Amino acid sequence: MRKPRLLIVDDNLDLVDAERAALEHEGFDTAGASSGEQARSLLEQQFFDLLLLDEQMDGISGPKLLA
């Protein structure tokens, strides 16, 4: 059985790193992005089961990314 794949998007890289470490410890496969633009690029290349998005970022925000 494959691990659920999560993408964590936040302009605070320390938070992304901490969330990734905690979720990987729980058995998830994670990727991180520090901007909406970076997340969009990852989403074009890979499938993710779940997105954890920061609502307020410069450029492409979480809600804009979902749209």
Side-chain angles (χ1 to χ4, degrees):
M1 182 176 193
R2 78 173 177 85
K3 295 179 182 181
R5 184 128 172 86
L6 282 67
L7 175 60
I8 302 165
V9 185
D10 198 302
D11 51 0
N12 180 336
L13 285 177
D14 291 334
L15 183 60
V16 171
D17 290 341
E19 289 176 343
R20 288 188 69 193
L23 289 166
E24 287 176 0
H25 180 73
E26 294 298 322
F28 292 94
D29 183 12
T30 69
S34 61
S35 69
E37 292 82 6
Q38 187 180 19
R40 179 182 284 163
S41 177
L42 288 170
L43 288 165
E44 290 171 351
Q45 300 170 26
Q46 304 172 44
F47 173 81
F48 294 92
D49 297 295
L50 180 68
L51 305 177
L52 299 177
L53 304 172
D54 185 355
E55 287 187 23
Q56 297 180 357
M57 294 184 289
D58 291 335
I60 301 174
S61 65
K64 284 184 181 179
L65 186 61
L66 287 176

